[in-house]
Structure formats: structure tokens, C-alpha cells
Amino acid sequence: MIIALLTLIAAGIIKGAIGSGVPVIVVPVLTMLYDVKLAIAVLIAPNLFSNILQVWQYRHHLLPLRFLAAFSLSGGLGIVLGTWGLVVLSPTLLSLGVAASIVLYLVIKIARRTIALPFATANRIVLPVGLLAGVLQGAAGMSAPASVTFLNAMQLERRVFIGSISVFFVAITCVQIPALLSAEILTLERTLYSFIALFVILAAMPIGAQLGKRLPHRWFDNLIMLLLAGIAVKIIVDAAL
């Protein structure tokens, strides 16, 4: 429980600093401690309300509406497909799916440091990327390997990135809630845990917002990557044993 609480605090700080990172940090840790379904359910309230807050804060700094609509609608379809996988796949396979998502995220994070994605190109591939992001979010609780790295590769200004990725997260979470309810994954008990997690993350976000203005973005990136590499190894070893 203490590890889970500290993880939520750290996730809130990262969220406040760079505008994303909550699922990337929380899902692997809770998957390691409990299971993927619990991890995904617990993050429903934080994903929805913390991102609504950031959409409002950065509402004047967004990518074009048509682009965001395409990104979000395809992501919603991916959520439905991913949630189906969450129901039918075994816990071990789901855990390995989280580990694979982490590895993919790390590989893309390293590669994209030398890659720039023009808006015209991004606009052509936004639908398949959104679909992939939704599937990853629905099945593994982590859309970041597709969604965050996609917008990061566009080398957006910090406020535009935070506002735009928050719009996407709000949209897919609105689809994910009924999907999880219909699959009986989002129970009353897990909903209570989710709101507790929300309050912890919201309390930590202002700290991250201040740090984000003072510390380099890459400092947070490197810290997250180091943490995720260790978690991925732990999940794979546990599944193998």
C-alpha cells in the first residue's frame, strides 16, 4: 500500500511537470503489485479529471480541432477493441503486454530524440496511431507508446502538447468507462480506490507544475525511462517464473 501511495504521488508530480506520465508510471507498478485490471480501473478517475483540468488550463493552446477529433475518435474505437482483449486474455499475457508496452515506449522515446514529425505527415497517420493508442490503453492501460510519443515526435511547444494530449486522454477515458462497466472490471470498490488515487495525484500536480518550469524536460524523461526499464524486467521475470 505504501509503494502504491508513493507511486501515485510521483505520478502526480510528473503529470504536473510534463502533462502526461500517470499511466506510464502507475500501471506497471500496480500490475507488478496486483494485476492489470485493477491498475486500469484505479486510473479511471485520475485519467478523466486530471486531464479535464489540464484541457481547461491549456484550452487556448491546442492542435487544430479536426486533428484532435480524428485522433480521439480512432482512439475510442481502439479502447473498445483493447477492453475486449482485457476480458479474454489471461493475467500473465496481460502482464507481459504491459511489459511489451513499456519496452516499446522506451525504444520509441530513445529513437524520437533524433526524429522530427512534420504536422502534414502526422495528419496523414493520425487515425492508425489513434487506433493503436486506444488498443494499448484498453488492453494494457498505457496508450503512451503510441499517443505520447506521437505528439512528442511533432516537437510541440509544452503548452500545446499538454493541452492536446489531455484532450485525447479525456476522450478515450469517456469511452473506457462504459466499456469497463459492461465488462464488470470497474466495480464499486475499484471506483472508490480510483477517486482516492485522483485526490493523491491532484495534490501532487502543483508540485510538478512548479518543477516543470525550473527543471529540463529531459531530466524527467530520463528518470521515467530508468524506472520503467526496471519495472519491465521485474514483470518479465515474474511471468517467466
Side-chain angles (χ1 to χ4, degrees):
M1 183 64 72
I2 294 177
I3 295 175
L5 178 61
L6 293 175
T7 301
L8 292 171
I9 293 172
I13 292 173
I14 296 296
K15 175 71 172 175
I18 64 175
S20 62
V22 171
V24 169
I25 296 172
V26 175
V27 169
V29 174
L30 294 188
T31 297
M32 187 172 60
L33 295 175
Y34 305 104
D35 61 65
V36 183
K37 293 179 181 179
L38 174 67
I40 292 175
V42 164
L43 280 184
I44 285 296
N47 280 346
L48 181 61
F49 292 104
S50 67
N51 284 297
I52 287 176
L53 175 63
Q54 289 191 314
V55 169
W56 176 255
Q57 289 175 331
Y58 298 98
R59 63 191 182 279
H60 300 302
H61 307 278
L62 300 174
L63 287 167
L65 178 60
R66 183 175 179 179
F67 180 91
L68 290 176
F71 196 29
S72 300
L73 289 172
S74 58
L77 176 59
I79 283 285
V80 175
L81 298 174
T83 303
W84 175 79
L86 188 63
V87 172
V88 302
L89 297 176
S90 70
T92 299
L93 281 177
L94 291 172
S95 295
L96 289 174
V98 172
S101 296
I102 294 172
V103 173
L104 178 61
Y105 176 75
L106 294 176
V107 169
I108 297 176
K109 285 286 283 183
I110 293 171
R112 68 100 180 164
R113 292 184 176 184
T114 59
I115 296 175
L117 184 65
F119 179 80
T121 303
N123 200 38
R124 287 196 291 270
I125 63 173
V126 64
L127 289 174
V129 172
L131 180 66
L132 175 60
V135 170
L136 290 173
Q137 180 67 29
M142 292 174 55
S143 72
S147 62
V148 173
T149 53
F150 176 57
L151 294 189
N152 263 332
M154 294 173 67
Q155 298 184 350
L156 303 172
E157 191 265 329
R158 178 177 177 271
R159 292 174 298 178
V160 176
F161 171 80
I162 294 177
S164 300
I165 196 66
S166 296
V167 169
F168 178 76
F169 287 155
V170 169
I172 63 173
T173 303
C174 287
V175 177
Q176 192 172 27
I177 291 172
L180 292 176
L181 286 171
S182 65
E184 299 183 349
I185 294 172
L186 186 60
T187 63
L188 183 60
E189 180 183 12
R190 288 174 176 173
T191 300
L192 176 61
Y193 292 155
S194 185
F195 276 97
I196 293 172
L198 169 65
F199 295 138
V200 173
I201 289 170
L202 287 179
M205 281 176 62
I207 301 172
Q210 292 301 315
L211 290 175
K213 296 175 183 177
R214 300 177 183 179
L215 297 175
H217 192 145
R218 181 164 292 186
W219 189 90
F220 291 99
D221 273 353
N222 292 337
L223 183 62
I224 293 172
M225 291 171 69
L226 182 62
L227 173 66
L228 290 178
I231 293 173
V233 171
K234 177 70 165 57
I235 291 174
I236 293 171
V237 169
D238 287 348
L241 295 177

